[in-house]
Amino acid sequence: MRTVLGRTRAVAAIGATALLTLGVSAAAPAVAGSSGATQTYIVLYKANGLPADARAAVSRAGGTVVATYPQIGVLIARSVSTSFASAARLDARVEGAASTQGLATRLAAPDAGTGDLPNAPASDSDPLSPLQWDMRQIHTPEAHAITGGSRSVLVGDIDTGLDFTHPDLAANYSAADSADCSSGAPTPLLAGNDVNGHGTHTAGTIAAASNGIGIVGVAPNVRIAGIKSSNDDGYFFPEMVVCSFMWAAARGVDVTNNSYFADPWLFNCKNDAEQRAIWTAERRAIRYAMSQGVTVVASAGNSSDDLSHPFVDSTSPDFPPGSEVERAITNACSVVPVEVPGVIGVSANGHNEQTDDDPGADYLKSFYSSYGVSAVDVTAPGGDSIFGRNAEAVNGRVLSTYPAANADGCRRKVYDNGALYCYLQGTSMAGPHVAGVAALVVSRFGSTGDITMRPGIVASIVTGTADAQPCPTALPDGYADFTQSNGVTDVPQECQGGLGHNSWYGSGQVNALRAVTRDMGN
């Protein structure tokens, strides 16, 4: 048992089949409705709990239960009845019911005191370490001289899966804490689960082992759990996301990385009943995980959108392909998980040469990175293939682990001892750096006793030790040619705010060394 500042949570092994899952017999639906393809639905109850007759109510509406989450008042159901959602909403206890079919977004952390978790330093002398400009940029080698993280700390990578056979990940992989949530209910994570490759790449940045093979992650001594939250095509459906956060909460995960958008629409508008039901269910799951001590890190996105000042969304929904519609949006529309309160939002930067006349140009925001004064807390290396290429970062991208079985999915490959590594860029690559630093913070200052670090404390250390980064006073020639805002071209990106906090960099670039020494100075 472990207590999160007064809250007790069980971390003993729980069977995936039994956890949060309620089986239902295939009874004939009691509500008439036309029959179509089986669809998955989120049923959101007004209370943070489920009524005793929830199973029977779903059956009467023409559905069967896939999973239940009574902690947040959410139920996952499936039905072939096209009238299921409207029938479910007839129950006065139901706040909303919405199909998740075709509604997904595809990929393209006060004084914590001194903890007593077991820590050990780590080396950054693996064969491909010289290619890791990103790690040197945030001072992880210096941090590793103090700690490479603790085996007591568990990071959940909520992503497309994880190749746990990769030799740079196998030693840190926690099978018992991993799960496949692609069905909407947790099942064991099987070999070959990461068909996309994205999850294996983010996992390597977080926790690739310091073992004489390949690269070294930000937190090479911590344990990593793969939590698959997408289908094999890389679409993150809402029932998968809810399942993932509830699993992380139940397993005692310390930090989760979220390099995706979990929302049916890129911007999810609360004035639409269907979007509101799904957004609320996802937000409840995330907030519940936080209440159980899970620090949540999320990437800002790759659309160069100002998330704090949205005005048009022309990219949603992106499934099935060709379904996009242009619509006017406002701040009543938000992105999940990065805009959920308490989540550490991360923008991406590249490896830019220092210039004497414009110190603000150092580590310029990547041309593709979304931003927002209310959405971004810190920035971290995500790569920039246009403005971040130089002798140290030869193609401007971030190198990390990749599944050998999906070698064709990687255009820029590096092999070491037969293991595959891939160069990629995106805010998806930036987020794992911050998740890794958060894991080092928990390792360094967390406790082996009954108290573990609250997410707010972790966030305050991560942001408070970041290197302040000002808005640039000038931009490189051609920068504007590669940018857009909210899906509309010819709308320039604008950095708003000062040195302490601004829309492009939040509190600044994350600094692993300052984080593990808790140097909160500027």
Side-chain angles (χ1 to χ4, degrees), residues 300-305 346-348 365-371 427 493:
N302 303 332
S303 302
S304 58
D305 287 326
V346 186
S347 65
K365 182 183 77 65
S366 302
F367 67 91
Y368 54 79
S369 178
S370 292
Y371 54 101
T427 59
Q493 301 183 72

Side-chain angles (χ1 to χ4, degrees), residues 21-283:
T21 304
L22 176 64
V24 178
S25 60
V31 176
S34 59
S35 179
T38 300
Q39 295 192 43
T40 302
Y41 294 83
I42 280 184
V43 181
L44 176 73
Y45 285 83
K46 295 176 181 178
N48 282 345
L50 297 177
D53 65 340
R55 170 178 176 175
V58 166
S59 181
R60 287 193 299 270
T64 58
V65 174
V66 175
T68 61
Y69 303 100
Q71 305 95 322
I72 59 172
V74 172
L75 180 151
I76 308 298
R78 291 204 176 102
S79 179
V80 297
S81 172
T82 57
S83 63
F84 173 78
S86 58
R89 285 193 291 265
L90 292 176
D91 187 335
R93 300 167 298 181
V94 171
E95 180 175 327
S99 169
T100 70
Q101 182 66 35
L103 300 179
T105 300
R106 191 183 190 185
L107 288 168
D111 190 341
T114 301
D116 57 356
L117 293 174
N119 281 257
S123 168
D124 286 79
S125 58
D126 281 5
L128 301 182
S129 293
L131 303 180
Q132 294 186 274
W133 61 267
D134 51 312
M135 298 299 174
R136 292 185 291 278
Q137 184 163 302
I138 64 169
H139 305 288
T140 60
E142 299 97 312
H144 290 165
I146 298 170
T147 180
S150 173
R151 298 296 292 175
S152 299
V153 172
L154 175 65
V155 179
D157 195 24
I158 300 178
D159 213 303
T160 63
L162 190 155
D163 178 11
F164 50 77
T165 67
H166 194 289
D168 236 354
L169 295 172
N172 291 338
Y173 174 66
S174 178
D177 298 303
S178 298
D180 185 340
C181 276
S182 60
S183 69
T187 60
L189 195 64
L190 304 178
N193 65 85
D194 189 13
V195 175
N196 184 282
H198 187 274
T200 300
H201 195 278
T202 56
T205 296
I206 298 167
S210 176
N211 58 358
I213 300 172
I215 64 169
V216 178
V218 178
N221 296 347
V222 304
R223 293 173 297 131
I224 185 98
I227 307 175
K228 184 170 181 174
S229 184
S230 77
N231 63 16
D232 287 343
D233 292 324
Y235 289 93
F236 292 79
F237 290 91
E239 70 273 16
M240 305 174 186
V241 175
V242 170
C243 169
S244 297
F245 279 101
M246 298 306 291
W247 175 264
R251 297 303 302 178
V253 169
D254 294 291
V255 180
T256 64
N257 178 68
N258 302 269
S259 293
Y260 60 89
F261 287 126
D263 195 55
W265 300 74
L266 178 57
F267 289 89
N268 193 350
C269 301
K270 306 175 192 65
N271 59 354
D272 177 271
E274 184 171 278
Q275 294 177 53
R276 184 172 62 250
I278 294 174
W279 174 81
T280 303
E282 292 173 338
R283 185 183 64 173

